[in-house]
């Protein structure tokens, strides 16, 4: 019998490119206990859609699209102010800021492939073929989410392909912190990466995050403060009550107010002020604490919380920039015919190009729940 052997290639990382889906992989149409595989593929598809929907909604509230390699911010006051006028004197001319800081974005190319033999395609159902495609879509979504959230939670400075610095949030690195309404901050000590001082989240911790972002003016243009928490921390926040003393002996300044998505309960209190919305930007809101809407998500690492000012989905007032190529043809996930398109093999390439970087370094703050004084970014986390 003649056997066709596909030439051995190496992937972009130097490893084997992955094999083909063959006839032997798809002859079985049910599990050992008699469950139709098509039903499993259908459930798999639905779960991926729910998973990707929450992940996409979360990153859209934290990011915005850009094609720029970097943005610049002035490193100094915007003007020297007015002076007293004299009858014959000539006023000094106003200048423009000379010093500027470039806030750059990374940019990388990523790819993946799907490969089938003709016999596999002959016997595969549509759901089986779709499962391969949807798995690649999920991996693409996960890649973008991981890049954006990792940039938010990690203070490590990067480098762009053009050689410019890629920053995280303010990290006491000496970079200029713009003043707001007469308030200024020391660049050498201002950091938006905090530790709680204990393993438990207290009301004072959340209030500190609110102040860090709000006092720098990132809610002055209509942005909403979002407190992003893992379910392991949301139950603690739901217990916050104004005036009640917490473990660190501080008293909460606000009540946690549940939204309409909370379970039914008996209450005797009377609500003053507006109730929190049931959703924001496509994500359910479990309640509010002070000025912040509390959003629970499994994509927030356990042991960490994040406060972010959001202008809404893909608003240019969001924290992280998602850099795409200037040429529209190279944006998003692209499907490219592979090297093999004829009998007996069918191959397709999926390609994606993007990068990330923080544009508004004061528009978010993150806290690690630990007794350590120094912040450590989450590791090994796959969003």
């Amino acid at each position: 019998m003649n056997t066709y052997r596909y030439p051995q290639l190496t992937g972009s990382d130097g490893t084997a490119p992955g094999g083909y889906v063959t006839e032997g992989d798809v002859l079985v149409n049910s599990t050992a206990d008699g469950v139709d595989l098509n039903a499993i593929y259908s459930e798999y598809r639905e779960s991926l859609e729910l998973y990707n929907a929450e992940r996409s909604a979360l990153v859209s509230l934290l990011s915005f699209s850009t094609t720029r390699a970097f943005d610049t911010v002035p490193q100094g006051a915007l003007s020297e102010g007015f002076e007293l006028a004299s009858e014959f004197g000539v006023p000094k001319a106003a200048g423009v800021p000379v010093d500027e800081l470039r806030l750059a974005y990374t940019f990388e190319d990523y790819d993946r492939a799907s490969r089938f033999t003709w016999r596999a395609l002959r016997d595969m159902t549509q759901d089986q073929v779709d499962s391969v495609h949807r798995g690649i879509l999920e991996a693409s979504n996960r890649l973008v989410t991981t890049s954006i959230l990792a940039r938010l939670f990690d203070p490590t400075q990067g480098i762009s392909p053009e050689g410019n610095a890629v920053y995280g949030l303010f990290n006491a690195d000496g970079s200029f912190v713009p003043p707001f309404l007469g308030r200024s901050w020391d660049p050498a000590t201002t950091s938006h990466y905090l530790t709680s001082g204990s393993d438990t989240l207290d009301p004072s911790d959340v209030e500190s995050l609110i102040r860090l972002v709000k006092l720098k003016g990132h809610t002055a243009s209509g942005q909403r403060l979002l407190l992003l928490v893992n379910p392991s921390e949301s139950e603690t926040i739901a217990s916050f009550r104004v005036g009640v003393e917490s473990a660190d002996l501080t008293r909460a300044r606000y009540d946690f107010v549940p939204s309409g998505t909370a379970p039914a309960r008996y209450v005797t209190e009377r609500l003053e002020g507006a109730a929190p919305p049931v959703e924001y930007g496509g994500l359910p809101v479990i309640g509010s604490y002070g000025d912040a809407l509390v959003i629970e998500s499994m994509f927030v690492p356990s042991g960490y919380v994040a406060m972010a000012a959001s202008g809404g989905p893909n608003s240019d007032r969001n924290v992280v920039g998602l850099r795409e190529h200037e040429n529209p043809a190279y944006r998003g996930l692209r499907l490219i015919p592979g090297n093999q398109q004829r009998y007996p093999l069918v191959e397709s390439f999926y390609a994606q190009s993007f990068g990330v970087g923080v544009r508004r370094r004061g528009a978010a703050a993150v806290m690690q729940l630990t007794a350590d004084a120094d912040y450590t970014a989450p590791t090994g986390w796959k969003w």
Side-chain angles (χ1 to χ4, degrees):
M1 177 182 294
N2 293 330
T3 301
Y4 183 92
R5 295 190 179 275
Y6 187 71
Q8 282 296 310
L9 303 175
T10 56
S12 56
D13 59 354
T15 61
Y20 281 84
V21 177
T22 65
E23 179 185 21
D25 297 325
V26 296
L27 288 181
V28 176
N29 292 314
S30 64
T31 61
D33 54 358
V35 178
D36 184 5
L37 287 183
N38 289 330
I40 296 178
Y41 293 130
S42 178
E43 183 176 346
Y44 168 75
R45 179 176 66 249
E46 293 174 2
S47 64
L48 277 186
E49 289 173 353
L50 292 173
Y51 202 66
N52 288 335
E54 177 177 343
R55 194 156 49 188
S56 298
L58 178 62
V59 299
S60 71
L61 293 176
L62 296 174
S63 65
F64 63 93
S65 297
T66 183
T67 59
R68 297 184 294 272
F70 60 85
D71 284 306
T72 59
V73 294
Q75 297 296 281
L78 294 179
S79 67
E80 298 177 356
F82 280 73
E83 60 182 344
L84 287 174
S86 63
E87 186 174 359
F88 299 103
V90 177
K92 292 188 293 185
V96 296
V98 177
D99 295 331
E100 65 179 22
L101 176 67
R102 290 186 175 185
L103 300 171
Y105 308 99
T106 61
F107 192 82
E108 299 286 352
D109 297 299
Y110 305 89
D111 55 17
R112 191 70 180 176
S114 66
R115 298 183 176 94
F116 302 92
T117 67
W118 70 275
R119 285 187 175 180
L121 289 175
R122 179 183 65 182
D123 296 325
M124 290 177 75
T125 66
Q126 181 66 49
D127 282 340
Q128 290 172 329
V129 176
D130 283 349
S131 69
V132 175
H133 173 69
R134 291 181 183 276
I136 293 176
L137 294 183
E138 189 276 334
S140 168
N141 190 305
R142 173 162 30 95
L143 174 65
V144 175
T145 303
T146 298
S147 300
I148 290 175
L149 291 181
R151 180 66 281 175
L152 177 68
F153 282 94
D154 193 347
T156 305
Q157 182 175 313
I159 193 77
S160 73
E162 296 80 12
N164 297 309
V166 180
Y167 293 94
L169 307 176
F170 285 125
N171 190 31
D173 55 10
S175 298
F176 176 71
V177 183
F180 179 70
L181 295 181
R183 184 186 291 266
S184 59
W185 292 267
D186 183 359
T189 60
T190 300
S191 177
H192 282 221
Y193 295 98
L194 310 178
T195 60
S196 62
S198 69
D199 295 332
T200 304
L201 185 69
D202 293 313
S204 60
D205 297 326
V206 178
E207 293 160 15
S208 295
L209 293 174
I210 291 176
R211 285 193 294 271
L212 269 180
V213 178
K214 186 176 180 180
L215 293 181
K216 292 183 176 64
H218 291 288
T219 60
S221 299
Q223 297 99 312
R224 293 299 303 262
L225 285 177
L226 307 179
L227 178 61
L228 307 175
V229 299
N230 188 276
S232 58
E233 277 72 54
S234 61
E235 292 184 0
T236 301
I237 296 172
S239 68
F240 292 169
R241 294 294 180 269
V242 63
V244 176
E245 196 173 82
S246 61
D248 66 350
L249 304 181
T250 61
R251 297 182 182 274
R253 298 180 59 194
Y254 310 100
D255 281 316
F256 172 83
V257 181
S259 72
T261 61
R265 63 204 183 280
Y266 288 107
V267 296
T268 57
E269 302 94 339
R270 179 173 60 88
L271 178 64
E272 295 183 359
V278 296
E279 66 91 25
Y280 182 79
L283 289 177
V285 175
I286 66 171
S288 64
Y289 184 78
D291 295 325
L293 301 180
V294 183
I295 293 178
E296 178 187 86
S297 176
M298 290 294 295
F299 296 114
V300 178
S302 179
Y304 294 81
V305 295
M307 183 73 66
S310 176
N314 200 35
S315 169
D316 61 1
R317 296 187 179 278
N318 293 344
V319 183
V320 182
L322 179 66
R323 177 185 175 185
E324 297 184 287
H325 202 276
E326 292 182 352
N327 186 340
Y330 289 91
R331 298 176 193 167
L333 182 63
R334 310 184 306 280
L335 180 60
I336 304 170
N339 297 319
Q340 299 296 326
Q341 288 296 299
R342 299 181 179 179
Y343 177 91
L345 304 173
V346 178
E347 179 181 56
S348 298
F349 295 148
Y350 295 76
Q352 193 165 16
S353 304
F354 70 93
V356 294
V358 170
R359 168 63 179 86
R360 299 179 181 274
R361 301 188 68 192
V366 298
M367 178 175 286
Q368 181 185 9
L369 306 183
T370 177
D372 295 339
D374 297 326
Y375 177 89
T376 303
T379 58
W381 191 266
K382 296 298 183 182
W383 285 280

